Amino acid sequence: NIAMKTKKHLGAAPAPVIVLRGHSDAVNCVSFWPSVAECLREGEDSLVLLSGSADGQVRVWDVYGRRCVHAFDAHKVNGGVLAVTTLYDDKSVLTQGRNGDVSVWDMQAQRFKHTNRQYGFECPSFSFCRCAVSSELLAMPMQSHGHVALWDWRAAKPAHVIEWHESLTQIIGGVTSGAAAQMPGASRGHGICMAMRFANDDSALVCGWESGALGVWDLKAGKLSMGARVFKEPLMSFAMRPTLSQQGQKSEQEESKQQQQADQDDDDDPEAAFMRKLQPPLESPVHKTKKAKNKTKVVCAGAGEAIQPVTIVWSKQSISVAKQPVAAKIVKPGVNDVCSRADAKLYATAGWDHSVRLFAWRKHRPLAVLRFHTDTVNAVAFSSHPFLAPDHALVSSSSSPASGLSGSPSSPCYVLATASKDRCIAIYDSLYPSLSSS
């Protein structure tokens, strides 16, 4: 039974270690600062969280200090803040309004206590889709025709518009009924874009549409390479499993050191050198990493009850999208957001039923249901790196070691932030630190 209908096999759900309150409207998005901030508290590292609400306000939080260090109005008009994300220069933040306005802010000035708006630009969009950001490009949905606009966020100017053509409908398949087919301005019945992510070293853009279709744009070739109908309902969000390329680089360095040591030993012992040449070469771990990069595992969620895995296979000649069997079914349908942890062990979903669900990437096994929020959960986000909580910070005591939920309070752990329409942000740490990623 793949439906999550009982609490018996899930164990006791942990309570949040910290709850951040201060927003006066629904919290739409959260994002962790990618690096440790050493300037909020003297002599201590700080974990910084950014949040945006429906009234247009952005708040900067010192998570384990349990306080807001700065707040400013980013998008006061027309729907508030839809997305907030740090840029690749590690000193700027990009905010997206519901009306399509995009602003870039300098966050390093005055130790996060003041913000300077560097520049901004308007995209012709009013949607529920959060933008996607790469090292150079910003992808934004366009309100009509199913198009996607690409912007050069450094120069604040349009780079390209990905247009929907009749051939794309033949690849994915048209929609003849449902809300997507009846939507005004929708192209070939697929509706507007609901979710997007850059993939394959930013050479491709993966998009999910209101029709439930998932498509992959090859940015180098400038065309939609392949797609698949994932749901009959709208595809609300998806997450891609991270590739552990750093482990491959580390293995390559270790292998080089071992080879240098072996060469030095060979000079001392000619007989050992001769025997080593007779042994078959071992497969390098970095080769496995490179092979793993050719496949991207994606998990999709939408307005229905299914958690749907998809595999994208990359090659020089083509890109293929393979729909896998349904991994799990949630009891109450509807998911707003999906986020994967950086260690590729688990992912979290933000539910319409006020719950956050945790799944293992391995076999998509359900792990826990977090039921703190009292209204719809709009967003979930993991910290990009493990963080060691300060000694004075509150550490969760609701999880027992036997449940596998919590790790040692003295060891670094990934932190999960959940944002809800109830105006609260819940912080969880030490969630399944020993979970296998294989």
Side-chain angles (χ1 to χ4, degrees):
N1 185 11
I2 58 177
M4 298 176 62
K5 295 183 178 180
T6 65
K7 300 180 182 179
K8 185 176 180 180
H9 65 287
L10 295 179
V17 296
I18 294 171
V19 178
L20 302 175
R21 294 182 174 91
H23 280 288
S24 58
D25 210 334
V27 186
N28 290 336
C29 52
V30 284
S31 177
F32 283 97
W33 190 258
S35 58
V36 173
E38 301 177 355
C39 51
L40 295 183
R41 293 193 303 274
E42 187 175 353
E44 257 185 31
D45 292 341
S46 300
L47 185 65
V48 176
L49 179 73
L50 306 170
S51 61
S53 58
D55 60 357
Q57 188 182 69
V58 171
R59 284 180 170 254
V60 183
W61 302 89
D62 176 6
V63 174
Y64 284 103
R66 286 167 281 185
R67 64 191 179 103
C68 176
V69 297
H70 183 52
F72 61 96
D73 293 329
H75 302 276
K76 196 69 177 177
V77 187
N78 295 333
V81 181
L82 185 61
V84 55
T85 181
T86 55
L87 296 178
Y88 282 70
D89 57 4
D90 285 341
K91 64 178 182 180
S92 302
V93 168
L94 183 144
T95 60
Q96 173 195 0
R98 278 286 309 277
N99 61 344
D101 291 346
V102 175
S103 296
V104 177
W105 309 81
D106 181 11
M107 301 298 292
Q108 287 291 62
Q110 301 297 323
R111 299 184 176 184
F112 291 96
K113 295 183 180 179
H114 296 281
T115 51
N116 299 321
R117 186 176 185 269
Q118 295 177 317
Y119 55 88
F121 47 92
E122 295 182 3
C123 300
S125 171
F126 192 95
S127 69
F128 299 95
C129 179
R130 298 185 179 101
C131 61
V133 181
S134 71
S135 59
E136 297 179 355
L137 295 176
L138 166 73
M140 289 279 291
M142 301 185 71
Q143 189 169 355
S144 60
H145 309 300
H147 299 344
V148 175
L150 295 178
W151 289 71
D152 182 349
W153 61 263
R154 296 179 185 273
K157 63 180 182 180
H160 184 63
V161 174
I162 302 177
E163 298 182 352
W164 192 285
H165 297 286
E166 184 66 33
S167 58
L168 309 184
T169 304
Q170 297 176 1
I171 293 176
I172 294 180
V175 180
T176 57
S177 62
Q182 300 171 6
M183 178 181 174
S187 178
R188 311 314 188 254
H190 281 280
I192 60 176
C193 186
M194 300 297 291
M196 55 180 63
R197 301 280 192 279
F198 284 98
N200 198 31
D201 297 328
D202 297 340
S203 65
L205 181 68
V206 183
C207 299
W209 281 275
E210 193 177 9
S211 64
L214 184 76
V216 181
W217 295 95
D218 187 346
L219 299 180
K220 293 182 178 179
K223 64 179 182 179
L224 180 70
S225 297
M226 188 53 66
R229 288 290 306 281
V230 181
F231 299 120
K232 295 181 180 179
E233 306 86 6
L235 194 158
M236 301 297 296
S237 183
F238 62 88
M240 293 179 287
R241 187 176 188 180
T243 55
L244 305 180
S245 58
Q246 292 181 353
Q247 291 186 4
Q249 295 173 1
K250 182 178 179 180
S251 299
E252 188 177 18
Q253 294 174 359
E254 292 178 353
E255 184 183 12
S256 177
K257 291 182 180 179
Q258 293 175 359
Q259 183 62 41
Q260 292 177 2
Q261 183 64 36
D263 293 341
Q264 184 177 358
D265 295 341
D266 291 347
D267 295 337
D268 299 335
D269 190 352
E271 183 177 356
F274 177 76
M275 294 300 297
R276 186 177 288 108
K277 291 179 180 179
L278 296 180
Q279 296 177 357
L282 297 176
E283 185 178 3
S284 171
V286 73
H287 294 164
K288 295 182 180 180
T289 304
K290 289 182 178 179
K291 290 180 181 178
K293 282 187 177 181
N294 293 332
K295 289 185 179 181
T296 300
K297 293 185 178 180
V298 182
V299 61
C300 304
E305 61 180 9
I307 302 297
Q308 178 65 61
V310 175
T311 300
I312 303 175
V313 181
W314 314 93
S315 67
K316 294 182 178 180
Q317 293 77 19
S318 63
I319 301 174
S320 63
V321 178
K323 182 178 176 182
Q324 306 298 325
V326 174
K329 289 185 178 180
I330 56 179
V331 178
K332 297 181 180 180
V335 171
N336 278 328
D337 194 18
V338 185
C339 184
S340 176
R341 204 165 70 178
D343 61 357
K345 291 183 178 181
L346 60 84
Y347 59 89
T349 63
W352 296 358
D353 62 347
H354 316 170
S355 300
V356 174
R357 289 176 167 83
L358 302 179
F359 294 88
W361 270 109
R362 185 183 182 187
K363 299 182 179 180
H364 302 276
R365 179 168 57 94
L367 300 174
V369 181
L370 313 180
R371 302 184 184 276
F372 167 77
H373 292 290
T374 58
D375 210 330
T376 302
V377 184
N378 291 326
V380 288
F382 283 101
S383 61
S384 59
H385 59 279
F387 185 80
L388 180 61
D391 294 336
H392 61 78
L394 178 64
V395 179
S396 175
S397 59
S398 62
S399 305
S400 62
S403 66
L405 281 168
S406 66
S408 171
S410 61
S411 60
C413 58
Y414 289 94
V415 181
L416 170 66
T418 64
S420 171
K421 195 176 178 180
D422 63 8
R423 308 177 185 180
C424 295
I425 301 172
I427 304 297
Y428 299 84
D429 61 7
S430 303
L431 296 173
Y432 296 93
S434 59
L435 193 68
S436 173
S437 60
S438 61

